[in-house]
Amino acid sequence: MYEVTLDGILSNPLFGNGMDLFYHKTGDAYPHNFILQMTYDLGIIFTIIFIRKVLLNMKRIIKFCSYDYYSMIVVLFFSSVPGALFSSNLWNNIILWVFFGTAFSNTFVFDNSRSRLKKPQEEFVNSNPPII
């Protein structure tokens, strides 16, 4: 099965063979590895960008998040990624997509909270109290 997957990746390496078309082109259900399936379906370019973005967001989560949020991400990671590396269809793995969505939403939470928090704090520090 991995040989068929690698042949398909090599036939269209940059942009892939199309989303969720593995069964139609090979006769097998799925490649049993979400990274290989993503590369087969969407190509090397998308896979590298996607995995890089997930890893960078995970680094931000480890650095800046609260313990509760970090714990939730760790639970989502270990309940989805190991199983998806060995036996799972990428497009039907709901917990994996919840993990990806949570990791990606984290970027917007940090960016929005930083921009919102800076202005009120700066205004408070720079404002003079009224003289009575």
Side-chain angles (χ1 to χ4, degrees):
M1 181 170 311
Y2 291 119
E3 295 86 18
V4 172
T5 305
L6 292 175
D7 288 341
I9 291 170
L10 293 175
S11 69
N12 292 315
L14 296 180
F15 300 108
N17 295 290
M19 197 163 126
D20 206 19
L21 293 177
F22 189 80
Y23 175 76
H24 299 292
K25 293 192 176 200
T26 65
D28 292 325
Y30 50 89
H32 295 279
N33 182 306
F34 83 93
I35 295 174
L36 288 177
Q37 185 174 2
M38 185 180 291
T39 307
Y40 180 91
D41 290 348
L42 302 172
I44 293 171
I45 293 172
F46 179 83
T47 303
I48 290 172
I49 292 170
F50 188 84
I51 298 297
R52 182 179 181 273
K53 187 71 174 162
V54 168
L55 292 175
L56 289 174
N57 286 351
M58 292 302 296
K59 181 179 175 184
R60 290 178 85 182
I61 289 168
I62 291 168
K63 262 183 146 176
F64 298 112
C65 275
S66 68
Y67 179 76
D68 294 337
Y69 193 80
Y70 174 77
S71 300
M72 180 183 68
I73 290 290
V74 168
V75 168
L76 284 173
F77 177 84
F78 284 110
S79 65
S80 63
V81 173
L85 285 172
F86 299 107
S87 180
S88 184
N89 185 350
L90 170 67
W91 308 114
N92 294 332
N93 192 337
I94 295 170
I95 296 175
L96 183 67
W97 287 106
V98 169
F99 165 71
F100 287 148
T102 306
F104 281 118
S105 69
N106 179 18
T107 302
F108 301 113
V109 169
F110 281 134
D111 293 341
N112 290 336
S113 67
R114 284 184 184 162
S115 63
R116 286 185 198 147
L117 290 177
K118 283 183 183 176
K119 290 179 183 175
Q121 289 175 351
E122 291 170 358
E123 290 174 10
F124 180 74
V125 171
N126 293 331
S127 66
N128 294 326
I131 299 175
I132 301 179

